Amino acid sequence: MIPQPSEFSIAIWKRFTRHRGAIIGMVIISLIILLCIFAFLSPFNPEKSSLAEKLLPPSPAHLLGTDALGRDLLTRILYGGRISLTVGGIAVAISLLIGVPIGALAGYYGGKIDSILMRITDAFLSLPSFLVLILLAAILREVELPIFQRNSVLTISLVIGALSWMTFARLVRAAFLTLREMDYVSASRALGASDRRIMLGHILPNGIGVVIVEATLQLGYAIIQEAGLSFLNFGIQQPTPSWGNLIYAAQSHFTKYPWLAIFPGIAIFLTIVSVNYIGDGLRDAFDPYKVMEKVGEWT
Amino acid sequence: MFTRTRTLLFLAFMVILSLAIVSCGPRSQSAGTEQSITPDSTSSITIVIPEDPPSFNPMVADTGYDSLVMELVLLGMADIDPYGNVFPELAAELPTIENGGVVVDEDAGTMSVTWTMREDIQWSDGTPVTADDALFTWEAITDPVNGSWIPGIDYVDSIEKLSQYSFVVNYNTLYPNYLTQLGGEQIAIWPAHYCDLEQGFIAWDCGREPLSDGPFVLHDWLKGDHMTFHKNEKYYLAPKPNIDQVIVRIVPDDAVRKTMMLKGDADIDMWINTTVAKDLEGSDVVKVSMSPTDRWLMRIFFNLAQKGTVDSSATPHPILSDVNVRKAIRSAIDIDTINSEIYFGLATPVWSEFFRPPYQCNVPRPTYDLEAAKALLESSGWVDSDNDGVRECRGCSTGAPEGYKMEMEFITYPEFGEPLILTQQLIAEMLSDIGVKANISVVEGSILWDQAENGGIEQSGNFDMDIWDDGYPGIDPTDYIWEMYSQEALVPGFGNNVMRYNNPEVDALIDEAYTLDEASRKETFCAIAERLDEDVPMVYLFTTPNAEAYSARIEGIQSSVNDMVTWNIADWTLK
């Protein structure tokens, strides 16, 4: 018996909630996102210096201490989280926008289209991604465009997203290659449905699970990439905080004022581990055999 | 979960296995290298620098590290000590009017300088250093295809050999900086019999594998790792140098360099910033040498031309072309606070290009006055009519459209270190207090200062404001002032007037500075200082000390702004 959509969703949710790591990850990431959203409640301005309070250790007044210009580190980490998570989100969205159509077209049509698109994908995959990231960031930094200004969130997101879509393309292609042979696709085609309708209306929704799983993993990857770029000074510029540039700024103080690097490092660590566990949980949850097994138990 | 655990176990196993292989296996090549550069006697010192010198020829890239190693192996006609005194190297004596070495034709406004060289100096292969080498060097520099630009090059009509050890330089003007034109921190005399003129001055192999007439000879150079120099047994001041071996190690991270110094693994860390200098205070093993005078003047460069253009008359900057705006920015910067909070009071506030002896001008110090700054902006038509904290053009005089936001990019370079990064942020914050939004950018110096055809930000005019430290080498500011402020030097690639500052009165004064009359020169320089104070093409902020960290076991080190710390390495001794 084919499960109804509601049963299917419930099965996925049940399966997901049985993954303890994913639930803990979900709680942590939700907490981080909430704290970042409500960062404006902090009494401190993240960009305004307070020279009389520079390089203070953690204390009740400044829970995570202050930086070299006396700015509250906790506030800067929370505002930095907004930037880092935004970069991650936009980068994943850009990856999806590029990768999913390429994978869908390649998988659905096959033949020469598949060959051409997959060779392009292979070419991108063969690039040493972080080096190319630095190169692209450096080039875009020198080009003044109306939208993509030097080291802006959008520029950094674009650079990361433009080099992270290949996995999506490959996954979606694989899903389409399998699903296009399914009976319901043949039936749709026989009923005169257009290719676009079949791809978007029938195949993509059934292959979206792997995309969602990959998106969570890519989110963590993009945050790390942003941190790496900012650490190398190609990313978000001060005084706007990002987790990466906070660690970059802490470099010269690491031995005397280690909290400047440790706390942003913990924020990155917790976020990455959390999204990875969520990804793990989603992968298990979307596993069709396990889902069908669960639905079968109910029916 | 099982897969994850297994992967972690596998990774842990691989790490342990790798460590076991590394520790039990035969010595790797790098380990061998490490062994080979370990000082094997007490008369060996280690200098740590963050990057490889591009070559031994500072005219190629002028990173400072090239000058550092050039001083170890090559000599110029004359050099300058930390106190501004020129002393001969290859020259037997310094040519002056008094000793007949300089002959001035007052009517024609020209001069000729006769250099007589020492006859006891030879290259490390035993070939004597002669006037042929000096003429060969000049020929290489002036080669139209492979040559280079050096200060005063356009003022030399010809160079003629007089004898094996003497030559004359004929100038088409009175050139005050003649003593160090073929010496100083940037120019060395190169061996004619060893360097290949066909390869060109900038590219020749001898720039990377030089023959030595200095105190040391290059023994080996492993790029990215180290250079080893051995004592030059044919050095003309033998038995100097007093140290047998110099190792220059490449250590990019300044924190690692500092730790190496404190642990005794390095003897000299060049160009330390004030944070490191402060950290080293009170150490028994590491001392800090500061130059007796400052050179590096931190300054904000204004682009008077519209961003992306290079003609301040045809396309004036929509904000910065108004001198009142520039004055307002100057008034809004609290230099004393920056000094005390970021530079621990070690910086010296400076408000004129002419702050070093012997050319010091009495220009009144601009005051830090936020209200005056705001009033200046208001009077120039820059008001915050929408109360968003950023002023807009409301009838401003620069030609900017109505409502144009007072928002600009503000660039600096990261190589200076954290103090400058913090300075930039603090200044941006101070400017926001008067309604000027400065968007911070940090761009590598190599990109910031590159030629326009390579995308150099300053040379191509692709900036609004930037902040970095600069200052003239040696003791004569004439060439530097020409390069920085003359109309001729605002052409990309032809000078450093990246502000595109254009004042015919200043041009005329710069021309007047080309004289040997010292009293007149002082007067001229001070007149220029006054014009610059009025026009504010840049804001002078403060000088930072030129400082070097050195091991307490070395004696004779004296940091210098006129040269690299190795300027007198032959005289150094070890305790």
Side-chain angles (χ1 to χ4, degrees):
Chain A
M1 180 181 173
I2 296 173
Q4 295 303 303
S6 58
E7 290 174 344
F8 195 82
S9 304
I10 292 166
I12 289 172
W13 176 246
K14 288 278 184 191
R15 184 78 202 159
F16 180 76
T17 52
R18 283 176 60 185
H19 195 297
R20 193 173 296 166
I23 291 300
I24 294 172
M26 193 73 133
V27 170
I28 292 174
I29 199 75
S30 304
L31 203 61
I32 289 173
I33 291 171
L34 279 174
L35 285 170
C36 291
I37 289 172
F38 290 102
F40 63 87
L41 294 176
S42 164
F44 304 104
N45 183 326
E47 297 183 10
K48 188 87 178 163
S49 65
S50 175
L51 295 168
E53 297 180 295
K54 65 183 182 189
L55 296 168
L56 293 178
S59 66
H62 297 280
L63 292 176
L64 303 186
T66 60
D67 71 1
L69 287 179
R71 297 170 295 205
D72 182 66
L73 187 59
L74 174 61
T75 308
R76 284 180 66 73
I77 288 174
L78 296 181
Y79 277 92
R82 286 181 177 188
I83 298 288
S84 295
L85 292 168
T86 305
V87 168
I90 297 176
V92 169
I94 291 170
S95 295
L96 284 168
L97 281 173
I98 303 171
V100 171
I102 286 177
L105 291 170
Y108 185 76
Y109 289 110
K112 281 185 181 172
I113 293 177
D114 182 29
S115 293
I116 292 168
L117 292 176
M118 283 305 105
R119 292 304 75 75
I120 293 171
T121 308
D122 289 344
F124 270 85
L125 276 171
S126 68
L127 295 172
S129 61
F130 198 68
L131 291 180
V132 179
L133 263 183
I134 293 173
L135 185 70
L136 262 179
I139 291 170
L140 279 176
R141 198 170 55 171
E142 302 321 312
V143 181
E144 281 289 298
L145 299 170
I147 306 170
F148 301 110
Q149 290 176 345
R150 282 179 191 146
N151 305 97
S152 70
V153 169
L154 202 54
T155 308
I156 302 303
S157 307
L158 174 81
V159 168
I160 296 171
L163 288 172
S164 313
W165 55 268
M166 295 80 77
T167 320
F168 288 114
R170 285 208 157 270
L171 284 172
V172 172
R173 173 183 174 268
F176 270 60
L177 279 175
T178 311
L179 295 172
R180 73 177 183 182
E181 306 299 338
M182 301 293 277
D183 290 343
Y184 68 90
V185 176
S186 303
S188 301
R189 199 174 286 126
L191 287 169
S194 66
D195 287 348
R196 185 162 165 260
R197 184 179 172 82
I198 294 170
M199 280 195 281
L200 295 178
H202 297 294
I203 303 181
L204 191 58
N206 286 295
I208 202 73
V210 286
V211 176
I212 292 172
V213 172
E214 182 59 24
T216 57
L217 299 176
Q218 286 287 339
L219 178 72
Y221 177 73
I223 290 170
I224 289 178
Q225 297 277 45
E226 183 279 320
L229 278 178
S230 294
F231 183 77
L232 294 172
N233 201 29
F234 287 93
I236 307 301
Q237 299 284 302
Q238 299 278 3
T240 307
S242 80
W243 288 343
N245 72 20
L246 287 177
I247 296 178
Y248 173 77
Q251 267 188 107
S252 48
H253 298 289
F254 191 69
T255 47
K256 282 179 87 172
Y257 313 105
W259 62 85
L260 291 174
I262 288 172
F263 291 127
I266 289 173
I268 294 177
F269 173 78
L270 285 176
T271 306
I272 303 306
V273 169
S274 299
V275 292
N276 269 283
Y277 272 110
I278 292 169
D280 257 8
L282 285 172
R283 184 167 49 215
D284 288 355
F286 276 107
D287 186 330
Y289 295 104
K290 289 176 181 170
V291 175
M292 290 303 289
E293 193 180 284
K294 189 75 203 170
V295 173
E297 280 173 21
W298 296 340
T299 55
Chain B
M1 289 304 287
F2 174 69
T3 309
R4 181 180 292 270
T5 310
R6 198 168 54 181
T7 307
L8 285 172
L9 281 173
F10 175 72
L11 282 173
F13 172 73
M14 290 304 290
V15 169
I16 292 165
L17 186 65
S18 307
L19 288 172
I21 290 170
V22 169
S23 59
C24 301
R27 282 267 179 211
S28 66
Q29 195 177 354
S30 62
T33 305
E34 183 73 27
Q35 198 172 29
S36 74
I37 64 163
T38 303
D40 54 5
S41 70
T42 50
S43 65
S44 175
I45 60 166
T46 299
I47 302 173
V48 280
I49 55 176
E51 60 188 68
D52 273 301
S55 75
F56 283 75
N57 184 358
M59 295 313 297
V60 175
D62 194 18
T63 63
Y65 308 115
D66 33 26
S67 293
L68 177 96
V69 292
M70 184 191 83
E71 290 291 336
L72 299 181
V73 297
L74 290 164
L75 302 174
M77 295 305 295
D79 211 339
I80 311 172
D81 73 13
Y83 306 95
N85 305 306
V86 181
F87 62 92
E89 281 189 325
L90 291 172
E93 64 173 341
L94 296 176
T96 61
I97 292 176
E98 290 74 27
N99 65 18
V102 178
V103 177
V104 174
D105 182 340
E106 293 286 357
D107 297 332
T110 61
M111 64 188 247
S112 58
V113 176
T114 301
W115 287 94
T116 304
M117 300 171 71
R118 291 177 68 111
E119 298 181 13
D120 57 349
I121 303 182
Q122 51 184 308
W123 298 105
S124 48
D125 65 356
T127 310
V129 181
T130 67
D132 289 327
D133 295 314
L135 267 65
F136 166 79
T137 302
W138 186 257
E139 191 184 348
I141 291 170
T142 53
D143 185 284
V145 179
N146 297 317
S148 180
W149 183 90
I150 63 169
I153 193 170
D154 303 317
Y155 305 130
V156 176
D157 268 353
S158 62
I159 293 189
E160 296 161 30
K161 181 180 173 182
L162 300 177
S163 69
Q164 192 181 0
Y165 291 103
S166 65
F167 61 95
V168 61
V169 184
N170 298 308
Y171 289 92
N172 57 27
T173 187
L174 299 180
Y175 185 54
N177 199 24
Y178 69 91
L179 279 176
T180 51
Q181 192 176 27
L182 290 172
E185 68 174 23
Q186 290 190 312
I187 308 291
I189 299 299
W190 295 81
H193 69 288
Y194 180 75
C195 295
D196 184 354
L197 191 62
E198 294 296 313
Q199 290 178 333
F201 181 66
I202 298 299
W204 59 26
D205 293 337
C206 67
R208 290 174 292 280
E209 297 170 25
L211 202 58
S212 173
D213 60 353
F216 291 91
V217 290
L218 175 66
H219 179 262
D220 64 273
W221 183 355
L222 183 61
K223 290 277 171 67
D225 191 88
H226 77 278
M227 307 165 91
T228 309
F229 298 87
H230 289 171
K231 178 175 181 171
N232 181 4
E233 299 298 342
K234 293 190 170 66
Y235 186 49
Y236 75 108
L237 293 176
K240 290 180 180 177
N242 306 310
I243 295 167
D244 295 328
Q245 180 176 263
V246 176
I247 298 162
V248 176
R249 290 198 65 171
I250 314 303
V251 183
D253 191 272
D254 55 356
V256 176
R257 290 199 303 276
K258 188 177 78 178
T259 306
M260 287 177 73
M261 291 294 298
L262 288 167
K263 288 191 169 182
D265 295 331
D267 295 293
I268 294 173
D269 186 6
M270 176 183 165
W271 285 346
I272 56 168
N273 64 43
T274 44
T275 310
V276 176
K278 193 73 181 169
D279 285 350
L280 293 175
E281 251 182 19
S283 167
D284 292 331
V285 291
V286 183
K287 306 284 179 198
V288 175
S289 175
M290 297 214 182
S291 58
T293 56
D294 290 344
R295 164 177 169 182
W296 304 107
L297 170 49
M298 194 63 71
R299 51 185 87 202
I300 296 175
F301 293 76
F302 293 126
N303 187 356
L304 308 188
Q306 192 172 10
K307 193 174 183 179
T309 69
V310 294
D311 188 341
S312 54
S313 303
T315 51
H317 194 281
I319 299 169
L320 294 171
S321 55
D322 183 345
V323 67
N324 280 341
V325 171
R326 305 198 294 271
K327 284 181 177 172
I329 289 174
R330 182 171 67 179
S331 293
I333 299 171
D334 182 358
I335 295 170
D336 290 332
T337 296
I338 294 172
N339 183 17
S340 61
E341 296 296 338
I342 297 177
Y343 296 88
F344 310 104
L346 293 173
T348 307
V350 165
W351 48 94
S352 164
E353 188 72 78
F354 302 94
F355 66 95
R356 290 167 59 182
Y359 307 110
Q360 287 161 302
C361 299
N362 190 24
V363 177
R365 181 178 179 179
T367 48
Y368 164 61
D369 188 339
L370 279 182
E371 293 312 313
K374 287 176 187 171
L376 272 171
L377 293 177
E378 299 279 344
S379 68
S380 290
W382 292 96
V383 292
D384 184 11
S385 49
D386 55 6
N387 289 319
D388 67 346
V390 183
R391 292 173 185 271
E392 303 90 40
C393 171
R394 298 289 172 212
C396 60
S397 60
T398 59
E402 282 294 288
Y404 190 88
K405 286 277 181 192
M406 207 164 205
E407 181 175 355
M408 293 175 284
E409 191 180 24
F410 184 32
I411 307 175
T412 194
Y413 73 113
E415 290 90 335
F416 187 94
E418 193 199 30
L420 180 52
I421 303 291
L422 297 178
T423 302
Q424 181 197 27
Q425 290 178 44
L426 217 46
I427 290 176
E429 208 178 302
M430 289 168 180
L431 296 186
S432 75
D433 290 341
I434 58 165
V436 177
K437 187 174 181 194
N439 297 319
I440 281 174
S441 259
V442 182
V443 179
E444 284 68 35
S446 57
I447 300 169
L448 187 59
W449 305 313
D450 205 348
Q451 295 300 311
E453 59 266 28
N454 300 331
I457 289 174
E458 279 197 336
Q459 286 288 340
S460 56
N462 195 16
F463 73 106
D464 295 309
M465 298 188 293
D466 58 14
I467 177 172
W468 52 280
D469 51 322
D470 196 17
Y472 55 90
I475 48 172
D476 177 28
T478 323
D479 288 323
Y480 180 81
I481 296 299
W482 179 88
E483 275 180 57
M484 194 63 83
Y485 300 103
S486 78
Q487 188 190 357
E488 290 170 296
L490 58 74
V491 179
F494 201 62
N496 291 326
N497 185 353
V498 294
M499 302 85 68
R500 273 75 200 191
Y501 170 64
N502 183 359
N503 183 338
E505 204 181 337
V506 170
D507 286 336
L509 286 167
I510 292 172
D511 287 343
E512 283 177 29
Y514 284 91
T515 172
L516 300 186
D517 180 347
E518 277 304 302
S520 163
R521 278 160 58 75
K522 282 181 183 172
E523 201 177 307
T524 304
F525 287 140
C526 289
I528 292 173
E530 284 170 20
R531 302 300 180 284
L532 296 178
D533 184 57
E534 273 302 306
D535 294 345
V536 200
M538 60 174 76
V539 176
Y540 310 109
L541 300 170
F542 50 83
T543 56
T544 50
N546 194 83
E548 262 88 26
Y550 69 99
S551 163
R553 72 189 185 109
I554 305 180
E555 287 183 329
I557 286 185
Q558 175 55 63
S559 179
S560 172
V561 291
N562 300 319
D563 209 333
M564 299 305 122
V565 65
T566 45
W567 70 277
N568 67 337
I569 192 168
D571 298 328
W572 295 356
T573 54
L574 292 181
K575 283 182 189 170

